[in-house]
Amino acid sequence: QVQVVESGGGLVQPGGSLRLSCAASGSIFSLYAMGWYRQAPGKQRELVATITSGGITTYADSAKGRFTISRDNAKNTVYLQMNSLKPEDTAVYYCNRFPTTMRTVWGQGTQVTVSS
């Protein structure tokens, strides 16, 4: 089974940048499409970005032009580069396979707080 550990979150000023990392285990990681998700207080979890096994990416409208998802299959790692951060980006960020199901197991995530 694939397990993931997210890292790289923190407190940043509006307009700042963060790079999140998702370290995955599992011998077939390179075959999976992966996604970054986030959940803000009082809101549903939402999909932020996806990347296929071949490196094709998609983004939520809120992330387009500011965020970049990438992967390094040799390192079993997915990244999310976040630039021009806004207060509304504040959330717990999670990575997981894409798509998810009702049986998807979520990890601890990493907290991103954007505040002046």
Side-chain angles (χ1 to χ4, degrees):
Q1 297 185 27
V2 173
Q3 296 181 336
V4 297
V5 178
E6 302 96 340
S7 63
L11 173 64
V12 296
Q13 297 278 100
S17 297
L18 283 173
R19 190 192 196 202
L20 307 184
S21 296
C22 172
S25 62
S27 62
I28 58 172
F29 167 80
S30 64
L31 301 180
Y32 298 154
M34 299 291 292
W36 281 98
Y37 308 79
R38 68 186 182 188
Q39 187 167 26
K43 296 188 177 181
Q44 295 291 108
R45 183 183 292 109
E46 65 176 344
L47 180 65
V48 177
T50 69
I51 185 165
T52 70
S53 61
I56 306 300
T57 60
T58 71
Y59 298 93
D61 287 343
S62 60
K64 288 178 181 175
R66 300 188 299 125
F67 293 4
T68 303
I69 187 172
S70 61
R71 69 192 298 162
D72 185 339
N73 288 338
K75 296 181 178 179
N76 279 192
T77 302
V78 181
Y79 304 95
L80 186 68
Q81 178 67 46
M82 305 188 295
N83 300 324
S84 302
L85 283 162
K86 305 174 181 180
E88 50 263 47
D89 295 317
T90 295
V92 178
Y93 284 70
Y94 304 88
C95 66
N96 222 310
R97 290 184 62 178
F98 177 82
T100 61
T101 73
M102 291 299 294
R103 295 197 294 176
T104 293
V105 176
W106 299 93
Q108 294 298 305
T110 185
Q111 176 72 50
V112 171
T113 302
V114 185
S115 177
S116 59

